[in-house]
Amino acid sequence: MSIAPVSGIASSGFANRLAPLSAGSTGSAGGGFGELVSNALETVNSQQGNADRLAQQAATGQLQDPHEYMIAATEASLSTELTVAVRNKAVEAFNDIMRMSL
């Protein structure tokens, strides 16, 4: 039994930005880790802005398909949760390194 792919759902692009790191690249060709983090945060910010814009359109009756807002809001929420989880892990790793004795 095979599962057919769902069509019409666009990827947020966040996983695509992480693909070069998981493939063993050092990141020097893409600008490095700082640029990767910066781009990811810009993506999260744009998703939040898109969700806010669609919420305003839904509230004023300008949005024809309210499900667009729900999809955008959920995507923005998940991206924010992922960002917070990554930040928490980075802080935890930093604290672990600082506790190491030399």
Side-chain angles (χ1 to χ4, degrees), residues 1 10-11 15 22-23 34 45 47 52-53 63 72 79-80 85-86 92 101:
M1 181 173 143
S11 173
S22 63
N45 189 35
Q47 288 173 340
D52 291 344
R53 181 181 52 80
L63 188 63
S79 295
T80 302
V86 169
E92 184 180 327
S101 62

Side-chain angles (χ1 to χ4, degrees), residues 2 5 7-8 11 13 15 20-21 25-26 32 36 39 43-44 48 52 54 57 62 65-66 75 84 88 98:
S2 66
S7 63
S11 173
L21 287 181
S25 171
T26 60
L36 177 76
N39 289 341
T43 300
V44 171
Q48 289 287 343
D52 291 344
L54 289 174
Q57 289 178 357
Q62 297 172 346
D65 298 320
E75 185 177 72
V84 170
N88 290 344
M98 294 305 291

Side-chain angles (χ1 to χ4, degrees), residues 43-100:
T43 300
V44 171
N45 189 35
S46 68
Q47 288 173 340
Q48 289 287 343
N50 183 42
D52 291 344
R53 181 181 52 80
L54 289 174
Q56 185 178 16
Q57 289 178 357
T60 59
Q62 297 172 346
L63 188 63
Q64 298 297 320
D65 298 320
H67 70 275
E68 288 180 28
Y69 162 68
M70 293 303 297
I71 292 170
T74 302
E75 185 177 72
S77 175
L78 288 173
S79 295
T80 302
E81 288 178 26
L82 175 63
T83 303
V84 170
V86 169
R87 184 218 45 200
N88 290 344
K89 286 293 184 180
V91 169
E92 184 180 327
F94 175 78
N95 288 334
D96 288 345
I97 291 170
M98 294 305 291
R99 282 192 290 261
M100 287 183 186

